[in-house]
Amino acid sequence: MTRNIQRLAQFVLLGFALMAASLVYWQVVRAPDLAARGDNPRLVQAELRLRRGRLLDRYGEVLAYSELLPGTPETLEAVQRRYLHPEATHAIGYYSLRYGTGGAEAAFDPLLRGQLPWLDQLLHRPQIGYDATLSIGLGAQHAADQGLGERRGAVLALDVATGEVLALVSHPAYDPNTLDDDWDALAEDPDAPLLNRATQGVYPLGDLARLVGLAGLFSAGITTPLDPLSTPLDEMLAPLSDSGYLATARQLGFDAAPPFDLLTGPGLLPDFDDQGTARDLAVTPLHMARFAAAIADDGRLPIPTLAYPAPPSSWPERVFAPSVAALLQAHTPTFEHMAGWAGVATPQETGDQPLSWYVGYAPIAAPRYAVVVVVEGSQDGQAVTLPIARQTVDAIQR
Amino acid sequence: MERGARNNQRAVSDAKADLDGSLLAAAPMTGWHYALFLALPVIFTMLAFAQLGLVEGGQLAPGRFIPVGALVFCLAGGSWSLWRWRPGHDRLLLPLVGILSGLGLVEVARLAPSLFLARQTVWLGLSTLALLAVALVPGDLRWLRRYRYTWLLAGLALLATTLVVGVNPSGFGARLWLGVGGIYFQPSELLKLLLLVFLASYLEDRREVLLHVEARIGRWQVPHPAYLGPMLLMWGFSMLMLIWQRDLGAALLFFGIFLAMLYVATGQGRYLLTGVILLMVATIVGYRLFDHVALRVDAWWNPWQEASGRSFQIVQSLLAFASGGVFGQGLGQGLPTAIPVVHTDFVFAAIGEEYGLMGALAVIACFVLLVSRAFHIALRAGRAFDRLLAAGIGASFGLQALVIMAGTLKLVPLTGVTLPFVSYGGSSLLTSMIMVGLLLHVSARHVPGNWVQTDELIVAG
């Protein structure tokens, strides 16, 4: 019987050894990937305790902050994100436990979340994030927002030298404070309020194809004697040829997504083999803002940024010679203190509704700001877009 | 016979070496050592309650330490009585029980509503009294042996009663409890105890027959009816629990205890194999026939596909273990309450999360010590009944802890048994304490140097 008892004891102890090995497997080997599982309730709990940093505009005004709500005996203390300025919604984005992050909240997420040192993690101290300062100014946001009014469209203003985005407005917008409740309705809305038109809206150039063509002609050394505003587009572009036009579009970075903090995408080059025309070239307002900045700043295509101050790595790339920039400036129509090109894309080109463009810069003599305005559903061109651009630039200069 | 005698000689000398070489067995313990060992559970429990108070309420309310006071009272009273009237008792058992039930109080306070803590504290007091009553019973345990069929009948009657008027305190789920005036008792726990006593007595009585009589059908050597009968009876008994009561854990545990004790009595590996095959057949049949068995097996086999559905519990349990890591989140600072019914079935996962790998290994170490002590006591006991009883109790503690630990760690399908001393539950605590009482009783009657004089030699001779 003695031997039997010893064998049984060995068997049971072997079982406990197996438990110990299994513990090591789950608590050490598999711990990292289980801890990161999306359905782990500890993630939500940790997120609820996170003191996310504030978002500030370039003058230090608070755009978004996290409010600490006192906990009840049943629930731990929780943090609620608050947004104060609806005119800056598409630049700021959103932070939601259910839907993640968007806009600057996504771009600067690691900074806003901060890091918890090892000792603080051990002591279960709440993680406190850093504030992030955005390059936008609330005054310019407000002016652009007011200018657009109820119309669908986008306004984007850049500092031509640094690439800092000074204003970024997209209409329609949403209220990030109530996003969790509104999400389904917003996602199904045909006006696509969740879409940031300034960086993700791809619009046909229409009349503005003339500007791209002119840049191509001047770069090729063809200083045409024709009046660029009144000559028919086909006649004007004839010396350039289709491939030259496409090469210019590529040179301006239209075939790629601009490097930017927010989500953006490449433009659509026209397919000349399939009845495409120069007017069909479609790009985002961000593409056009960079182009305008290149015209204003000796042909240097800025790398746009939403951070203030601009990170030092943003060295602009020269896409055409200063002489070309000077020629383009000389041919750009001016109005009061703004220089810029207005244009319309027809329903045939957009496939839907007409839209009006304005692409310009200011001041005329020593340009510092590039501004792009797109208004959907309008054929009025300059009459509707120029005032918006002017208001925005005025607010920036103020 | 010649070979048998040699084998037994060797077994005896092995056991001697095992005992003499073992630090635990050899350690002479003075009163001061004993007091120190008993102080450890008290210090641990007191610190844990203080930590819990600081984490949850930010202050140390004196009322929070009432359970610690109860534990001190139980350990002091228990050790003094044992020291006085059972001078030869095993010195490690009471400190081990103290630390495990202290941890149990801490976990109930952490995981369950406050009313549960008061109940568990009262149960701790009652269970300690039961432990002392059993341990201090004068004479040997002859009366336990003599009335074995009475115990069996009592157990079966209890089971029948539960089948008829059983309830579940939570209002749903398996009806495994008997309720009188708001107090609930789980008869399967008492049944386990009665089973241990009955089997120890039965196997002691039939050992010689079992060892030396073989049956043959033609050329084939078959299990003797003396084996086969009880084995089929036990198997049927377990299946009954499984089918009518839906008590998967108890069925598994009962059959496991039976196999363990049969092996201790006979040392026949092939009957162990037969039992395991029967168990597997039962599992397959159960899987095919019963939804509640199939549900648990499916939830266990691939939990990740239905992590938010029927595998929610086991997935949450694994997430809790993972969150604990090596050092744990700290008592009161994890999220073990995300696991449904964490305070009974998943208390080990809660320990894994808040005390980490270190704490969970420490709990395993406590059980290893407890089980080792039980087997040591079995080895040193003089009578076959005492040996079988102590070995059965050791196997019972070991298997029960293993079944629920393996369940929370996704090694086997989940079954609803408690982690002895630690899980919330009065019946479980009471039964476990009585089992420790029996161990103490057996250990106290051990006469040094007497242990080799066993029936082994009688059989061999």
Side-chain angles (χ1 to χ4, degrees), chain A residues 209-227:
Chain A
R210 199 177 287 272
L211 183 55
V212 177
L214 214 53
L217 287 169
F218 291 158
S219 295
I222 307 162
T223 45
T224 169
L226 297 171
D227 179 0

Side-chain angles (χ1 to χ4, degrees), chain A residues 38-105:
Chain A
D39 60 352
N40 194 334
R42 288 157 193 83
L43 292 181
V44 175
Q45 202 207 22
E47 204 68 38
L48 282 173
R49 295 187 72 213
L50 173 69
R51 315 277 166 82
R52 200 175 168 82
R54 296 175 303 170
L55 279 172
L56 309 172
D57 87 341
R58 64 189 293 124
Y59 303 111
E61 291 287 324
V62 177
L63 302 172
Y65 69 101
S66 287
E67 189 182 355
L68 188 65
L69 304 176
T72 63
E74 283 78 32
T75 61
L76 294 163
E77 59 189 23
V79 172
Q80 171 78 43
R81 196 71 168 162
R82 303 256 186 236
Y83 299 90
L84 301 174
H85 296 286
E87 64 266 34
T89 288
H90 273 288
I92 297 168
Y94 55 85
Y95 167 81
S96 154
L97 274 183
R98 205 176 301 166
Y99 301 106
T101 53
E105 291 272 32

Side-chain angles (χ1 to χ4, degrees), chain A residues 303-352:
Chain A
I303 293 171
T305 176
L306 202 54
Y308 178 80
S313 60
S314 309
W315 290 110
E317 173 199 4
R318 193 180 288 276
V319 288
F320 45 76
S323 58
V324 175
L327 274 170
L328 283 169
Q329 283 188 23
H331 284 86
T332 300
T334 58
F335 183 82
E336 292 184 0
H337 53 279
M338 286 214 58
W341 296 67
V344 171
T346 62
Q348 290 79 29
E349 287 146 10
T350 62
D352 184 20

Side-chain angles (χ1 to χ4, degrees), chain A residues 17 31 100 188 348 385:
Chain A
E188 285 168 19
Q348 290 79 29
T385 51

Side-chain angles (χ1 to χ4, degrees), chain B residues 294-331:
Chain B
L295 191 80
R296 294 205 178 185
V297 173
D298 288 342
W300 161 70
W301 190 250
N302 196 351
W304 307 112
Q305 293 201 331
E306 290 190 68
S308 58
R310 58 185 177 185
S311 302
F312 185 72
Q313 265 190 318
I314 181 67
V315 167
Q316 291 304 318
S317 169
L318 295 177
L319 293 182
F321 275 115
S323 147
V326 175
F327 297 105
Q329 294 286 332
L331 184 62

Side-chain angles (χ1 to χ4, degrees), chain B residues 257-276:
Chain B
I257 289 172
F258 169 71
L259 288 181
M261 291 182 74
L262 190 66
Y263 180 77
V264 169
T266 66
Q268 299 284 358
R270 54 197 162 134
Y271 297 122
L272 211 55
L273 198 69
T274 316
V276 172

Side-chain angles (χ1 to χ4, degrees), chain B residues 41-42 44-46 48-49 52 64-72 74-75 97-114 116-125 128 331 343 347 351 355 421-425 429 433:
Chain B
V42 172
F44 164 74
T45 312
M46 192 143 60
F49 270 93
L52 212 49
R64 283 191 157 274
F65 291 97
I66 290 172
V68 184
L71 184 74
V72 171
C74 289
L75 287 179
V97 166
I99 204 154
L100 285 173
S101 46
L103 178 63
L105 289 177
V106 171
E107 290 302 324
V108 170
R110 164 70 180 100
L111 304 170
S114 54
F116 285 38
L117 179 61
R119 279 196 214 152
Q120 189 76 353
T121 309
V122 172
W123 274 112
L124 179 67
T128 310
L331 184 62
H343 57 283
V347 71
I351 293 168
Y355 286 107
F421 304 103
V422 185
S423 291
Y424 170 76
L429 188 60
M433 287 290 208

Side-chain angles (χ1 to χ4, degrees), chain A residues 30-391:
Chain A
R30 292 292 304 278
D33 64 284
L34 284 185
R37 267 178 74 92
D39 60 352
N40 194 334
R42 288 157 193 83
L43 292 181
V44 175
Q45 202 207 22
E47 204 68 38
L48 282 173
R49 295 187 72 213
L50 173 69
R51 315 277 166 82
R52 200 175 168 82
R54 296 175 303 170
L55 279 172
L56 309 172
D57 87 341
R58 64 189 293 124
Y59 303 111
E61 291 287 324
V62 177
L63 302 172
Y65 69 101
S66 287
E67 189 182 355
L68 188 65
L69 304 176
T72 63
E74 283 78 32
T75 61
L76 294 163
E77 59 189 23
V79 172
Q80 171 78 43
R81 196 71 168 162
R82 303 256 186 236
Y83 299 90
L84 301 174
H85 296 286
E87 64 266 34
T89 288
H90 273 288
I92 297 168
Y94 55 85
Y95 167 81
S96 154
L97 274 183
R98 205 176 301 166
Y99 301 106
T101 53
E105 291 272 32
F108 301 106
D109 195 47
L111 182 71
L112 292 167
R113 298 179 67 90
Q115 276 183 341
L116 201 56
W118 178 80
L119 184 65
D120 289 337
Q121 270 180 31
L122 195 70
L123 297 174
H124 287 260
R125 289 186 177 137
Q127 187 167 330
I128 300 174
Y130 302 101
D131 292 347
T133 305
L134 303 188
S135 56
I136 57 169
L138 265 181
Q141 287 291 135
H142 188 71
D145 184 67
Q146 291 291 310
L148 266 180
E150 295 298 306
R151 287 172 289 227
R152 281 173 288 123
V155 179
L156 186 64
L158 285 182
D159 184 312
V160 298
T162 63
E164 288 164 8
V165 171
L166 303 172
L168 190 158
V169 171
S170 171
H171 276 192
Y174 54 91
D175 183 358
N177 291 299
T178 58
L179 192 74
D180 283 352
D181 298 328
D182 305 342
W183 183 275
D184 290 336
L186 292 170
E188 285 168 19
D189 191 329
D191 285 343
L194 290 172
L195 180 75
N196 184 352
R197 287 164 158 78
T199 59
Q200 291 172 289
V202 179
Y203 297 105
L205 283 182
D207 297 339
L208 288 189
R210 199 177 287 272
L211 183 55
V212 177
L214 214 53
L217 287 169
F218 291 158
S219 295
I222 307 162
T223 45
T224 169
L226 297 171
D227 179 0
L229 283 176
S230 56
T231 317
L233 185 64
D234 290 344
E235 195 178 322
M236 191 189 99
L237 290 180
L240 193 58
S241 82
D242 290 346
S243 59
Y245 183 77
L246 290 177
T248 308
R250 291 199 185 91
Q251 181 69 27
L252 295 173
F254 288 174
D255 61 330
F260 190 45
D261 301 312
L262 306 187
L263 274 181
T264 178
L268 289 172
L269 301 188
D271 185 358
F272 288 109
D273 300 332
D274 186 25
Q275 298 179 334
T277 69
R279 294 173 62 94
D280 291 335
L281 175 61
V283 294
T284 68
L286 183 61
H287 283 110
M288 286 312 275
R290 295 178 80 200
F291 184 21
I295 296 172
D297 190 32
D298 291 346
R300 282 189 290 258
L301 199 63
I303 293 171
T305 176
L306 202 54
Y308 178 80
S313 60
S314 309
W315 290 110
E317 173 199 4
R318 193 180 288 276
V319 288
F320 45 76
S323 58
V324 175
L327 274 170
L328 283 169
Q329 283 188 23
H331 284 86
T332 300
T334 58
F335 183 82
E336 292 184 0
H337 53 279
M338 286 214 58
W341 296 67
V344 171
T346 62
Q348 290 79 29
E349 287 146 10
T350 62
D352 184 20
Q353 293 170 315
L355 64 90
S356 296
W357 279 98
Y358 185 84
V359 175
Y361 57 87
I364 297 168
R368 293 179 56 196
Y369 316 111
V371 61
V372 171
V373 177
V374 172
V375 176
E376 293 179 19
S378 164
Q379 278 184 312
D380 300 337
Q382 180 160 329
V384 59
T385 51
L386 180 56
I388 302 173
R390 276 182 53 211
Q391 277 181 36

